[in-house]
């Protein structure tokens, strides 16, 4: 599976409203905007994870917390793939202004 297919396969982890937008960005190879979208969804997933976290260290983890943790970890994998692709489009500001 190539990188584009791997990225597309992980879109199922995104919120439903973002999947079509992510596909459009990927189809256009607009990795900087795709990166922004995925970064935003990773932050939202982390916030959800924090809200579901047990009150104390020895507290039992709920099924919802475990599911949120899996989604967050998989979104971090997606983020790493997208970041790698977006890096090729980033301009070194120092070089740009010289």
């Amino acid at each position: 599976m190539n990188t584009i297919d791997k990225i597309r396969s992980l879109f199922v982890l995104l919120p439903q409203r973002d999947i079509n937008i992510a596909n459009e960005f990927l189809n256009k190879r607009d990795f900087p905007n795709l990166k922004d979208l995925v970064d935003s969804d990773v932050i939202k997933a982390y916030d959800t994870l924090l809200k579901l976290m047990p009150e104390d260290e020895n507290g039992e983890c709920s099924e919802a917390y475990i599911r949120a943790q899996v989604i967050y970890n998989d979104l971090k994998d997606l983020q790493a793939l997208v970041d790698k692709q977006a890096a090729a489009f980033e301009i070194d500001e120092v070089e740009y202004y010289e």
Side-chain angles (χ1 to χ4, degrees), residues 51-65:
K51 289 176 187 171
L52 295 171
M53 189 176 290
E55 294 291 324
D56 61 9
E57 280 185 23
N58 298 327
E60 190 170 320
C61 296
S62 69
E63 190 174 318
Y65 174 75

Side-chain angles (χ1 to χ4, degrees), residues 10-23 37-45 48 71 75 78:
L10 293 172
F11 284 171
V12 297
L13 302 167
L14 299 173
Q16 190 64 37
R17 67 185 179 280
D18 288 347
I19 292 174
N20 288 337
I21 299 167
N23 274 308
L37 180 73
V38 171
D39 288 349
S40 173
D41 289 337
V42 168
I43 291 168
K44 291 174 192 171
T48 300
I71 290 171
L75 279 173
L78 173 60

Side-chain angles (χ1 to χ4, degrees), residues 5 23 35 39 60 74 82:
D5 292 336
N23 274 308
K35 178 185 177 343
D39 288 349
E60 190 170 320
D74 289 345
V82 171

Side-chain angles (χ1 to χ4, degrees), residues 43-96:
I43 291 168
K44 291 174 192 171
Y46 183 72
D47 288 344
T48 300
L49 188 63
L50 289 179
K51 289 176 187 171
L52 295 171
M53 189 176 290
E55 294 291 324
D56 61 9
E57 280 185 23
N58 298 327
E60 190 170 320
C61 296
S62 69
E63 190 174 318
Y65 174 75
I66 294 169
R67 190 171 35 251
Q69 193 171 30
V70 168
I71 290 171
Y72 173 73
N73 290 336
D74 289 345
L75 279 173
K76 291 293 288 179
D77 292 341
L78 173 60
Q79 185 180 41
L81 289 170
V82 171
D83 285 353
K84 186 175 179 181
Q85 297 300 313
F89 294 90
E90 292 178 1
I91 299 172
D92 186 358
E93 290 183 26
V94 174
E95 288 180 20
Y96 180 75

